[in-house]
Amino acid sequence: MGQRVAGMESKSGAVMLSTPVTSLAGVGPTRAQHLGDLGVNTLGELLEYFPRTYQHETEERAINQLDPGPIQTARGKVIAVDYIATRPRPRFEATLDDGTGILACVWFNGSYLRKSIHPGLMIRVKGKVGSFKNIPQMTNPKWGAIDEAAEAITEAQFRPIYPASAKLPSEVIQKIIEPNLEAAVANIEEWFPQSLLDRRGLMPRHDAYRTIHRPSNLHQALKARRRIVYDELMLMQLGLGISKQLRDGRLTAPVLRVDKLLDQRIRGRFPFELTEAQTSAIWEILTDLQAARPMNRLLQGDVGSGKTVVALYAMLTAVANKLQAALLAPTEVLAEQHYLTLSRLLGDSGVCVELYTSRTKRESKGSLMRALSDGKVHIAVGTQALIAQDVEFANLGLVVVDEQHKLGVRQRAVLKGKGLSPHYLVMTATPIPRTLALSYFADFDLSTIDHLPPGRQPIKTRWIPSKQAATAYEFVRGQIKAGRQAYLVLPQIDDTGLDDAKSVKTEFDKLSKGPLNGLRLAMLHGRMTTEEKHATMTAFRAGTVDVLIATTVIEVGIDVANATVMVIDNAEQFGLSQLHQLRGRVGRGSELSYCILIGDPQGDIARERLTVMTQSNNGFEIAERDLQLRGPGEFFGTRQHGLPEFKLADITQEMELLQQAKDDALALLGEDPHLRQPAHAKLRAALRAMFGDTLPLAQVG
Ligand code: ADP
Ligand code: MG
């Protein structure tokens, strides 16, 4: 069989990474389907189906090394057997000797063993180790006879453990990969010069692919893994670097003029002094706006740190330069909130701010659109729909995107299609941990507001189990009596009946009849119409609603200074960063604010999340913890981000390698900015394959 396949190969040329698994030795239609379920359809995908960990084939211990307690494996020659027939639990006993000591084995109801275990036999036993009369003992161990001649060959084997499915256990996956490994590895080409590999201590690429599946020891396995991770990180850094170059080199953005008088006029608009942190972020932004290449800046700062004010400064700078600015929020409710904030601050100025949402009245819509294309509107506030549709701007100079890391790439493409290349400012309250800043966001310049405006007090946070929920409601009543307002957040809108999670509608009914009876309650959730949401928010802002019972629609941006309590029920169902975002809805005024988490987390990670919340008010710390607890893919929803996910790299753990890859990528691009040198052709092809057309790499080569 093997020979026939080999013969076919030589006729049709070598097996390629794109060869479907169905034409591999040992893979029939059923296995192919099971592999397909694991996302493996080609030889290349099989090769990149990496082991999750490794195991020694045998993890035996010498008998005198056995520890009482855990399950262990030992072997020895049977030196005595006995069968004790006493009722009610007859037992079979065997004594093993391995030269270091004696191990007693007992099998209850083991009469059947009399036929198979006898003195002189070499057996392996696996079980919990106890002790009886100072002799180690295993009770009902698993056992097997040892064929010593066969063992000698495999004993040292170090076995890969693959992420398995019920239908494809790890051993089967190994059996499929093993005979195809050499043919697959033959297709792996080196990307980097030997000098680089030497400098970074990296093994050749094809060796790494072979060794990761078939290492002789853990050290080799880790070396192989390191090489493959390096390649992933390096490719990412190169892709981002090239994309940045293309943007920097080819696009021109309007050059804005800034002077002291303008600075004073803008600052004068705010009813407070800007903080030092805000001022330095503004300085960085202004430096970008005065250059002819489009700004691509991420403004990060904890909730309530004053990002919106910084963004407004930038927008007013654009307006003063006779350019339009657009402020894009993730939802209509938030767009409205921004619109109100800007209108309040700019009320008596000549700056024209308009809100563009689906609520914009049909009769006024036409004229509003015209005002935008005429340039009469200076600042347009809306959701991303504002840019996605065929809306015309007269002279768009700056786009500010709030809380939507996902938005950037696609939106920029749309604008580019319209012949526009405005400056870009993305605001985020989800602090980007350093590792992510170096990878996913290598494309952005980063400004950080690292201090809150003065006078803020930390939000007092407590976590209580659900059986004490009554105390939370009492506390809410007390605050409302004192003239404050509260939020209550729940994980879902309706009871699904599928789980125990509480819902907005059920809790609204229950609380209005029970613990919060007599208070003015309102619901806010994503299935309400925009009109209803708008009416509810307006009432809450006006103080005619005491408690807003909501889903996470209130997660970002809602700003009601009089709300001082945030109660999050079923808190164990939320992610850590999400909890922090939700908590940030309170503590916006001068009053002391509170966050009460109600939840009964199962398991250490869930408990850890709630504990972290009670210990820290610092978004950065929380984001780092979140990243550790969750892993980066989920943290950012990278899929939606349009960036590829790593197969192997866990960038929370590879800080040093990531930094090396970044340095090496920059050096390489410094030498060959567009990777056009023949020596880099393979690398360029790999980049294309990795990024597809999500980044402007089509222009490479
Ligand atoms: P973010 O967008 O970062 O969540 P905002 O810009 O909405 O923060 O600011 C949060 C609150 O703090 C707002 O009510 C805003 O008016 C206020 N604020 C912003 N900057 C300052 C400052 N320098 N001094 C005092 N209050 C400020
Ligand atoms: Mg904000």
Side-chain angles (χ1 to χ4, degrees):
M1 178 73 202
Q3 272 179 352
R4 259 175 54 205
V5 171
M8 275 162 54
E9 264 172 48
S10 60
K11 239 181 265 165
S12 60
V15 179
M16 301 199 306
L17 292 178
S18 58
T19 302
V21 288
T22 43
S23 46
L24 299 179
V27 182
T30 315
R31 274 195 181 165
Q33 196 191 328
H34 294 159
L35 283 170
D37 293 342
L38 296 175
V40 175
N41 299 300
T42 63
L43 180 61
E45 286 163 353
L46 189 62
L47 185 63
E48 296 207 321
Y49 199 76
F50 299 123
R52 163 168 75 70
T53 180
Y54 302 89
Q55 230 173 46
H56 282 285
E57 191 79 273
T58 62
E59 289 181 331
E60 283 177 16
R61 291 188 170 207
I63 287 173
N64 70 352
Q65 299 293 314
L66 292 173
D67 292 326
I71 293 175
Q72 289 154 84
T73 305
R75 72 159 74 193
K77 188 175 270 180
V78 179
I79 53 170
V81 295
D82 198 2
Y83 181 69
I84 296 106
T86 24
R87 301 270 147 202
R89 299 184 78 195
R91 64 185 195 270
F92 178 83
E93 295 182 353
T95 308
L96 308 191
D97 184 345
D98 73 344
T100 72
I102 284 174
L103 174 67
C105 299
V106 182
W107 288 269
F108 288 102
N109 301 314
S111 68
Y112 63 98
L113 293 170
R114 282 179 294 180
K115 282 199 202 114
S116 35
I117 300 183
H118 41 79
L121 185 69
M122 196 70 172
I123 65 170
R124 176 183 292 124
V125 285
K126 178 178 180 182
K128 265 194 169 166
V129 179
S131 137
F132 185 68
K133 289 187 180 159
N134 272 335
I135 292 177
Q137 175 175 307
M138 286 187 189
T139 305
N140 297 327
K142 291 190 177 144
W143 75 281
I146 294 174
D147 176 348
E148 285 189 81
E151 285 262 317
I153 302 163
T154 56
E155 198 167 22
Q157 244 214 8
F158 190 64
R159 187 158 50 101
I161 306 296
Y162 291 94
S165 65
K167 300 209 174 103
L168 275 185
S170 173
E171 307 87 76
V172 176
I173 297 172
Q174 188 189 356
K175 275 198 191 113
I176 298 170
I177 292 180
E178 187 57 36
N180 294 299
L181 188 56
E182 284 310 322
V185 166
N187 289 280
I188 298 293
E189 294 167 320
E190 187 52 68
W191 290 345
F192 303 120
Q194 189 60 41
S195 57
L196 176 61
L197 304 187
D198 290 345
R199 186 151 44 88
R200 295 300 188 196
L202 298 167
M203 66 164 69
R205 218 169 118 70
H206 62 267
D207 282 354
Y209 274 87
R210 180 188 302 110
T211 307
I212 198 163
H213 290 286
R214 199 196 282 156
S216 51
N217 55 46
L218 190 60
H219 176 72
Q220 285 299 308
L222 291 176
K223 255 192 100 169
R225 183 179 181 284
R226 182 164 178 275
R227 168 68 211 254
I228 296 171
V229 169
Y230 175 89
D231 288 2
E232 283 190 301
L233 297 175
M234 181 76 169
L235 231 54
M236 171 65 89
Q237 293 300 327
L238 285 170
L240 292 172
I242 289 177
S243 144
K244 191 172 152 84
Q245 280 176 1
L246 286 172
R247 212 186 40 253
D248 290 357
R250 304 220 174 140
L251 294 178
T252 53
V255 177
L256 273 60
R257 296 178 57 91
V258 187
D259 59 33
K260 194 146 179 76
L261 189 67
L262 179 61
D263 178 63
Q264 279 168 3
R265 263 172 46 214
I266 295 178
R267 281 174 192 263
R269 281 269 134 220
F270 304 127
F272 38 69
E273 293 278 307
L274 294 177
T275 64
E276 231 169 87
Q278 284 170 318
T279 300
S280 66
I282 286 171
W283 175 248
E284 287 164 355
I285 291 168
L286 291 182
T287 308
D288 287 357
L289 294 179
Q290 294 174 84
R293 65 183 181 86
M295 168 168 77
N296 199 42
R297 187 166 283 279
L298 188 69
L299 176 62
Q300 66 171 358
D302 212 345
V303 277
S305 61
K307 296 182 295 294
T308 311
V309 166
V310 170
L312 178 56
Y313 188 113
M315 290 191 281
L316 291 177
T317 307
V319 173
N321 279 270
K322 310 265 182 286
L323 292 165
Q324 292 171 304
L327 173 55
L328 308 182
T331 67
E332 299 214 329
V333 170
L334 289 170
E336 226 161 272
Q337 173 89 46
H338 277 312
Y339 173 70
L340 290 176
T341 307
L342 299 195
S343 304
R344 205 168 52 224
L345 287 167
L346 302 175
D348 56 346
S349 74
V351 178
C352 173
V353 185
E354 286 295 351
L355 177 67
Y356 292 82
T357 64
S358 60
R359 274 174 35 79
T360 309
K361 297 237 163 35
R362 190 166 299 147
E363 60 269 29
S364 59
K365 197 156 201 158
S367 60
L368 273 176
M369 289 301 175
R370 239 171 296 120
L372 201 57
S373 58
D374 286 352
K376 290 203 183 84
V377 171
H378 301 118
I379 299 178
V381 183
T383 63
Q384 61 262 50
L386 180 60
I387 275 188
Q389 294 162 358
D390 31 295
V391 174
E392 293 299 323
F393 289 87
N395 48 13
L396 184 63
L398 171 66
V399 176
V400 177
V401 186
D402 188 17
E403 295 297 354
Q404 286 286 84
H405 332 86
K406 299 162 201 163
L407 220 94
V409 176
R410 190 167 316 125
Q411 248 53 36
R412 194 173 299 117
V414 171
L415 285 172
K416 225 171 115 185
K418 294 181 184 176
L420 295 165
S421 58
H423 295 285
Y424 252 91
L425 183 65
V426 178
M427 301 194 275
T428 177
T430 309
I432 315 297
R434 210 154 69 89
T435 44
L436 287 174
L438 275 172
S439 50
Y440 295 104
F441 291 95
D443 206 19
F444 285 86
D445 296 308
L446 193 62
S447 290
T448 305
I449 304 183
D450 53 5
H451 283 102
L452 299 181
R456 294 287 169 76
Q457 309 184 52
I459 298 157
K460 288 209 149 89
T461 303
R462 275 192 62 196
W463 158 29
I464 57 174
S466 58
K467 62 175 193 289
Q468 290 171 26
T471 62
Y473 304 133
E474 250 168 67
F475 186 80
V476 166
R477 279 189 165 281
Q479 286 284 301
I480 285 164
K481 212 167 163 197
R484 311 278 166 264
Q485 290 163 282
Y487 301 98
L488 170 58
V489 175
L490 296 145
Q492 55 186 357
I493 301 173
D494 268 324
D495 278 354
T496 56
L498 295 176
D499 51 31
D500 304 333
K502 295 185 192 165
S503 73
V504 167
K505 288 189 176 168
T506 311
E507 288 301 293
F508 179 86
D509 289 343
K510 211 177 81 190
L511 295 173
S512 55
K513 289 185 198 118
L516 299 182
N517 185 281
L519 302 183
R520 296 167 299 177
L521 311 183
M523 289 192 268
L524 188 72
H525 59 73
R527 237 183 284 137
M528 289 160 62
T529 65
T530 314
E531 292 292 340
E532 289 167 335
K533 280 190 267 186
H534 172 77
T536 303
M537 273 318 295
T538 307
F540 192 66
R541 272 187 209 110
T544 58
V545 164
D546 298 317
V547 184
L548 197 57
I549 301 180
T551 57
T552 55
V553 290
I554 64 155
E555 192 177 339
V556 281
I558 284 177
D559 193 358
V560 176
N562 192 46
T564 55
V565 193
M566 166 64 65
V567 181
I568 305 172
D569 204 343
N570 276 164
E572 74 281 357
Q573 308 233 353
F574 297 92
L576 189 42
S577 289
Q578 199 174 24
L579 289 171
H580 180 66
Q581 296 292 307
L582 286 166
R583 176 169 63 180
R585 297 306 105 217
V586 297
R588 312 219 117 213
S590 51
E591 300 296 332
L592 194 53
S593 290
Y594 306 87
C595 174
I596 305 174
L597 308 169
I598 305 175
D600 307 308
Q602 306 291 313
D604 291 344
I605 292 184
R607 239 190 317 270
E608 176 74 12
R609 279 206 293 266
L610 300 192
T611 309
V612 169
M613 282 292 290
T614 63
Q615 289 168 346
S616 177
N617 259 290
N618 179 321
F620 262 97
E621 247 169 61
I622 288 176
E624 292 282 357
R625 288 297 293 137
D626 198 22
L627 189 60
Q628 283 163 8
L629 291 173
R630 283 207 288 173
E634 217 187 315
F635 185 83
F636 262 119
T638 48
R639 282 257 162 253
Q640 302 172 56
H641 199 75
L643 293 173
E645 276 180 278
F646 295 117
K647 289 205 173 63
L648 204 55
D650 170 1
I651 53 174
T652 60
Q653 306 295 327
E654 328 274 2
M655 194 59 210
E656 196 188 325
L657 203 57
L658 180 58
Q659 186 64 57
Q660 290 179 0
K662 186 174 173 124
D663 294 346
D664 296 344
L666 286 178
L668 193 66
L669 291 177
E671 233 175 74
D672 182 9
H674 301 101
L675 300 183
R676 293 217 172 91
Q677 291 172 14
H680 297 145
K682 282 166 194 148
L683 191 53
R684 196 172 57 203
L687 269 171
R688 266 231 189 91
M690 186 179 189
F691 285 93
D693 40 10
T694 56
L695 289 172
L697 276 163
Q699 300 171 55
V700 179

